[in-house]
Amino acid sequence: MTGPSVVKTGSTRFIVFFIVLNLCLWIEARSSEQQHASFPPRGWNSYDSFCWTISEAEFLQTAEIISKRLLPHGYQYVVVDYLWYRKKVEGAYVDSLGFDVIDEWGRMHPDPVRWPSSKGGKGFKEVAEKVHRMGLKFGIHVMGGISTQAYNANTLVMDSVKGGAYEESGRQWRAKDIGIKEKACVWMSHGFMSVNTKLGAGKAFLRSLYRQYAEWGVDFIKHDCVFGTDFNIEEITYVSEVLKELDRPVLYSISPGTSVTPRMAKEVSQLVNMYRITGDDWDTWKDVAAHFDISRDLSASSMIGAQGLQGKSWPDLDMLPLGWLTDPGSNFGPHRACNLNLEEQKTQMTLWSIAKSPLMFGGDVRKLDDATYNLITNPTLLEINSYSSNNKEFPYITATTVSKNKHKGHPHHPTSKNISTKHAFGLTSCKEPKANTWSIVDKNRGQICWNQYSSEKLEKPFCLYNRKALLSFDEELKHNKFYQGKLHLQTYDKAESCLGASSQQKLTSKDYSQGALSPCKLDANQMWELHSNGTLENSYSGLCAVLNPVKAEASSSGVRSWIATGRRGEVYVAFFNLNQVKTTISAKISDIAKALPNKKNLEGASCKSHELWSGKDFGPTKDSVSVQVEPHGPALFVLHCSHA
């Protein structure tokens, strides 16, 4: 009896082990499926080609093409960008007032003329269903807060939990109870304002918005005018909580990214899945070049693929304005070709891929040319974007510029060239140590100055002056609570204009937010509070004022490099020539080895390489990789190294 009993016990243990193993694998697979943004999201957004004017017919035609041509390459999200609720009639434009479609609760609904399937209060339900049948996911752009139109109409706030109007303290709450008129979106001041998230009614309004989007079948939300110099951590935090409670996954993206710092990124990364790190990216070389420094800083801070909302989060370099486009703020759809030359387009796509940015194509796919299609579906770039690791800028390269008369060699890092600097007004997280450098110099004149004794010394002190309020008694009573203890600052005594933190224009990537002087008014963007720790906090964004050094020479020149490792052991080395002349760029294999975690795999190894854009094979070599790179162009090496 002993023998059969042992065999039976062993078989049972094996069966149990097999069941447990398969159960663990199933749970792991399900967990991966349910995790938000396991890889940088990929898709299409209407803004670069249609601005705000896209119609249902145009959108569905676009989605159909994407499902056939781009979905096989991972482009799965199709996103309607802003103002889908605005009537396309005479007088309507980006910052117009009174042309939006809202319901009785002050919530935005699609314009039924442009989006006929939305009639009868159906919203985007039918559009989302059609998109899902194509195998795609549906996304929309929304603005932060509540619309000025709803505020002026003083609509009731909906209680989406109990149904009907939101009631608290024995009364119904309305838009004017929750809207903060002084905190209107700076670059769309007639459109939207913040809501008070400290109020139950303010939270109820936001909850009703996002529950409605989920009911429509929305899979992706781009939440605008809440990040960068429009920072609203309270609204971001609460929206993130609401999205967690939904019975369906919704990917959460925030925007814009003007003046974003690694500290700001760390404050939001766990709350979202994508966050913009520059202003709007358009098809200019300066916009492309403006992404190198901030990409480097976010990578160095380990923010690429960090913990996010129910999954991971990704620094977002903005849409890819390639192919057939429109213009910023236009009332017209696609009508022109991309202004970047092919080398500049390759640089953009290479940087976006190796920095693991979300890839959201912006061109009109109805006129998708072969060159653009081949670029955005390049298998090597998409492999790097999804599966590479240890992505970082690699400074240890040498560059030799090529001219008709001579070759001029110089190392890229470190540089011994003296670069003169000046300082520009900027914003940063109030948690940054460099923000604690303001102090009162002259109480009588209301003079406060950036501490000239800090590590970044100025040729002369930079000072601001508090404007004495010129308000009537009634105005003082009305605004006293909101502005008590706040400063109205001017760049010199008795000036006519006051300093606002954010530009009233929507900035592009190449534009640096340096504050904006405009006629003094009771506006949170122009209100500041000097804290005892030396921080000067803006009442609109909650960010603090700093003076940042600005290099005298343009940052859109020079050479840069990034490296990463592939999932099969390969090493990626990208060179970028930001100069206007051909440049030979080189990197030593030994230096690349030192920069990667598994350096033993490269030390003393012999490497064969393939350069993507030229199609050339190099090696084997133990010394270096080197190539001549076109002006504003990239090179991308795929290295396979061994010790054999």
Side-chain angles (χ1 to χ4, degrees), residues 85-86 97-109 145-157 173-179 190-193 195 205 209:
Y85 35 81
R86 184 147 299 172
L97 175 61
F99 296 94
D100 296 340
V101 179
I102 60 174
D103 67 8
E104 61 182 310
W105 309 108
R107 302 178 300 179
M108 317 311 295
H109 274 251
I146 189 170
S147 75
T148 306
Q149 192 167 320
Y151 180 91
N152 290 343
N154 205 21
T155 53
L156 286 166
V157 173
W173 289 67
R174 293 181 174 272
K176 288 188 176 179
D177 297 319
I178 64 171
H190 294 104
F192 291 84
M193 66 184 73
V195 298
F205 175 76
L209 290 180

Side-chain angles (χ1 to χ4, degrees), residues 171-187:
R171 70 179 182 93
Q172 295 181 335
W173 289 67
R174 293 181 174 272
K176 288 188 176 179
D177 297 319
I178 64 171
I180 306 175
K181 199 171 184 179
E182 297 85 358
K183 293 186 71 173
C185 178
V186 171
W187 48 268

Side-chain angles (χ1 to χ4, degrees), residues 342-386:
L342 184 57
E343 290 300 320
E344 293 167 343
Q345 293 180 43
K346 289 191 294 187
T347 287
Q348 179 165 39
M349 191 65 188
T350 304
L351 177 62
W352 265 236
S353 298
I354 202 164
K356 294 181 76 79
S357 169
L359 299 178
M360 305 299 286
F361 179 56
D364 184 359
V365 297
R366 301 170 306 172
K367 294 187 66 173
L368 184 56
D369 60 280
D370 289 344
T372 303
Y373 175 78
N374 292 335
L375 181 60
I376 66 174
T377 61
N378 183 282
T380 301
L381 295 181
L382 298 186
E383 168 75 18
I384 293 171
N385 184 248
S386 288

Side-chain angles (χ1 to χ4, degrees), residues 191-207:
F192 291 84
M193 66 184 73
S194 297
V195 298
N196 190 341
T197 54
K198 295 178 181 178
L199 297 174
K203 292 179 178 178
F205 175 76
L206 292 175
R207 189 187 309 118

Side-chain angles (χ1 to χ4, degrees), residues 229-244:
T229 51
D230 306 296
F231 201 19
N232 189 337
I233 188 63
E234 293 82 8
E235 183 163 331
I236 294 170
T237 301
Y238 187 68
V239 169
S240 184
E241 292 174 6
V242 172
L243 294 179
K244 279 183 187 177

